[in-house]
Amino acid sequence: MLTTLAVLMGLTGLTPAAQAGGSEVDVTLVLAVDTSRSMDFEEIGIQREGYVEALKHKEFIDAVKGGLTGRIAISYFEWAGYVVQDSVIDWQVIETEEDAIAFADKLEARPIATQRRTSISTAIAQGASMIVSSPFPSRRQVIDVSGDGPNNSGDPVTPARDKAVEAGMIINGLAIMLRPSDAPNGLDKYYADCVIGGPGAFVLPVRKIEDFAVAVRRKLVLEISDLSLPATVQKIAGAEAGTDCLIGEKQWRDIFDR
């Protein structure tokens, strides 16, 4: 299997295959959803329900219709230490309420399972690869990463992030902060400094499980519309000296060095 950096090498300056043909959309959006074992089955289930509910919500559908072309292309996959291959839902155009419900139904039908480790870099590489091969040209290409911990497997996250951003993609984050994080200064700050990138990139924290559906919906609406960021969303400000983007890898090594 190619490493994350091998997948991303050469993306800079690469025109997505979408430019060769297909129907134009406002946004090509990849949903990259963490299913690592640091979340239990109840939390994974509520996370799934949050995405299904958000995709069917009138606010999301109205945001799609309000775009320049009135349609987006969306895809989905689950990840932990690796991409769960049978979780991939390929590109589908969302233009009507029926389109959104059909995509949400595909997601809802997936079995719920968890996997080991956390490789955000692998998730970014998968999302970038899917965007490059998308058949739909778009004004914006967005990788939407949700997760509950720092990168601790595979390649380091920042080079993967930087390659995707150099290729013109935007990476946004949903930081799931239901439990104390391995990121010392908070998972939202780790995501802000180490994961997200591109023009207008942001991270939205979720601190209570009952807020998940609303947070997902707000995030999707922000990603496909020109709405200004609410005060609870942290914009990217560049990595700060106090942020260790290798904290997850170091903590994992410490477990085996004891």
Side-chain angles (χ1 to χ4, degrees):
M1 179 179 293
L2 293 175
T3 66
T4 299
L5 295 184
V7 171
L8 284 174
M9 286 300 291
L11 281 183
T12 303
L14 181 62
T15 300
Q19 301 300 326
S23 300
E24 184 179 359
V25 295
D26 291 313
V27 184
T28 43
L29 173 63
V30 183
L31 303 179
V33 176
D34 182 5
T35 54
S36 59
R37 289 178 182 169
S38 50
M39 290 190 287
D40 60 31
F41 276 90
E42 180 184 12
E43 291 168 347
I44 293 287
I46 292 173
Q47 176 181 235
R48 172 76 57 77
E49 291 171 8
Y51 276 95
V52 170
E53 180 181 323
L55 290 164
K56 293 182 178 181
H57 199 279
K58 183 179 184 298
E59 188 177 356
F60 167 72
I61 297 164
D62 287 346
V64 171
K65 293 179 178 179
L68 188 63
T69 70
R71 56 186 178 268
I72 68 169
I74 191 168
S75 59
Y76 171 97
F77 69 89
E78 295 168 358
W79 60 276
Y82 55 90
V83 173
V84 183
Q85 288 302 322
D86 67 359
S87 74
V88 177
I89 302 176
D90 206 359
W91 292 103
Q92 177 177 319
V93 171
I94 306 293
E95 187 171 7
T96 66
E97 180 180 4
E98 290 74 19
D99 296 333
I101 291 173
F103 189 87
D105 286 346
K106 290 179 184 178
L107 175 54
E108 191 170 25
R110 272 203 45 72
I112 293 176
T114 60
Q115 297 81 32
R116 298 181 64 249
R117 305 289 294 272
T118 301
S119 183
I120 303 172
S121 57
T122 295
I124 292 173
Q126 173 74 12
S129 177
M130 292 173 70
I131 285 175
V132 167
S133 61
S134 164
F136 303 103
S138 64
R139 296 183 298 113
R140 286 183 294 132
Q141 299 84 43
V142 181
I143 304 171
D144 178 329
V145 180
S146 69
D148 76 331
N151 194 80
N152 63 29
S153 179
D155 295 317
V157 65
T158 51
R161 184 266 316 271
D162 294 344
K163 288 291 183 181
V165 171
E166 287 167 11
M169 301 173 196
I170 300 167
I171 304 169
N172 294 324
L174 187 70
I176 303 172
M177 303 172 66
L178 307 178
R179 299 173 180 171
S181 170
D182 291 334
N185 296 318
L187 187 64
D188 51 350
K189 188 174 189 308
Y190 174 88
Y191 261 67
D193 292 342
C194 306
V195 177
I196 67 175
F202 64 88
V203 56
L204 183 62
V206 180
R207 294 184 171 87
K208 295 188 292 183
I209 196 71
E210 59 267 27
D211 295 338
F212 195 92
V214 174
V216 171
R217 185 171 75 246
R218 291 174 64 203
K219 188 168 187 288
L220 292 179
V221 169
L222 285 169
E223 287 169 333
I224 62 179
S225 67
D226 294 324
L227 295 177
S228 58
L229 296 175
T232 53
V233 177
Q234 182 174 347
K235 294 180 67 175
I236 185 168
E240 300 178 7
T243 301
D244 184 356
C245 294
L246 293 173
I247 185 63
E249 289 87 343
K250 291 175 180 176
Q251 290 173 340
W252 191 262
R253 285 197 299 267
D254 288 346
I255 291 174
F256 292 97
D257 289 343
R258 291 172 183 169

